[in-house]
Amino acid sequence: MADIEKIEGGGGAEEQQPQQQQRGRRRRKLSTDVPENAFEGGGEELAEKVVYINRSAKVVKGGRRFNFSALVVVGDKKGRVGYALGKAGEVADAIKRGGELARHQMLPVALKDATIPHEVFSEFGGAKILLRPASPGTGIIAGKTVRAVLESAGIRDILSKSLGSKNAANVVKATLAALLSLRTREEIYKARGIAIKKVETPKPPEASVN
């Protein structure tokens, strides 16, 4: 009877060991797999850019528990752009969450061809952003944080300068506030109730025949 009990006990341990190994494999798979659409715009043709990733730690009884936050900018490169801060226990999940939130918070921006209609200055917290229109072929003269917002909005020629804090979140918010304050000539004339006068192009002088 003693031998039988030992065999039964050993068999139970052997049956439990594969289950523990399978559970361990599943945990490793969840922590390392990255979703395929984490860096894509989904069904629509959207440009998604990760501006900043932050890691925070919480001290608990068993050790430290990490949490990640990702600042994501999303735009269609046709005059609509938005941003959001996604938070999760894994980097890929935080980026995916931020992208989903940013898609729902996209706002239209007034553009003039590939640049902006006029100069604009904006502040948010300690960040100060100056944007100026540029001639075709100039490109985007900006830092990486401001560039992410401008490229997502569809701007290709612009001059910019960051005059204050370099905090990524405040710089993104100040840049978006500057873009939202832009107005085209048609919008200004319509708000004032003034009709836009069409300027006729001058005709070239006719050559005199002797």
Side-chain angles (χ1 to χ4, degrees):
M1 292 296 291
D3 295 337
I4 295 174
E5 290 177 357
K6 288 181 181 179
I7 293 171
E8 289 179 353
E14 290 176 359
E15 291 176 359
Q16 291 177 0
Q17 188 173 1
Q19 293 180 359
Q20 292 177 358
Q21 292 178 357
Q22 290 178 0
R23 290 177 183 175
R25 290 174 186 171
R26 289 177 184 174
R27 289 173 185 169
R28 287 196 296 272
K29 186 177 180 181
L30 290 173
S31 62
T32 56
D33 284 354
V34 179
E36 295 181 357
N37 60 350
F39 301 94
E40 296 179 359
E44 303 178 4
E45 294 182 359
L46 300 177
E48 181 175 323
K49 298 182 182 295
V50 180
V51 178
Y52 180 72
I53 296 177
N54 184 40
R55 186 186 74 172
S56 60
K58 180 181 180 182
V59 179
V60 295
K61 185 177 181 180
R64 289 189 297 176
R65 184 177 300 170
F66 294 101
N67 192 27
F68 299 91
S69 60
L71 183 63
V72 184
V73 177
V74 176
D76 59 356
K77 295 188 176 182
K78 297 179 182 178
R80 296 178 68 242
V81 64
Y83 74 94
L85 185 68
K87 299 180 180 181
E90 297 292 338
V91 176
D93 296 338
I95 295 173
K96 182 178 179 181
R97 178 62 176 167
E100 292 175 353
L101 294 175
R103 291 187 197 102
H104 296 293
Q105 299 177 7
M106 294 175 63
L107 299 173
V109 175
L111 302 179
K112 182 180 179 182
D113 298 331
T115 184
I116 57 178
H118 56 83
E119 180 179 326
V120 64
F121 178 79
S122 178
E123 298 183 34
F124 189 93
K128 302 176 183 179
I129 299 297
L130 174 64
L131 303 178
R132 288 181 178 176
S135 57
T138 304
I140 300 177
I141 310 301
K144 61 178 182 179
T145 306
V146 179
R147 179 185 294 270
V149 180
L150 299 178
E151 287 182 348
S152 301
I155 300 173
R156 296 190 297 273
D157 301 308
I158 193 171
L159 302 173
S160 69
K161 182 65 178 177
S162 178
L163 303 171
S165 171
K166 296 182 181 180
N167 182 275
N170 288 344
V171 171
V172 168
K173 293 175 183 178
T175 305
L176 187 59
L179 294 177
L180 294 176
S181 64
L182 295 172
R183 293 191 299 169
T184 59
R185 184 179 65 172
E186 290 77 10
E187 293 175 353
I188 296 174
Y189 276 42
K190 185 178 180 180
R192 297 180 181 180
I194 303 174
I196 301 176
K197 297 181 181 180
K198 294 183 179 180
V199 180
E200 297 180 358
T201 57
K203 297 181 180 179
E206 297 179 358
S208 59
V209 179
N210 294 332

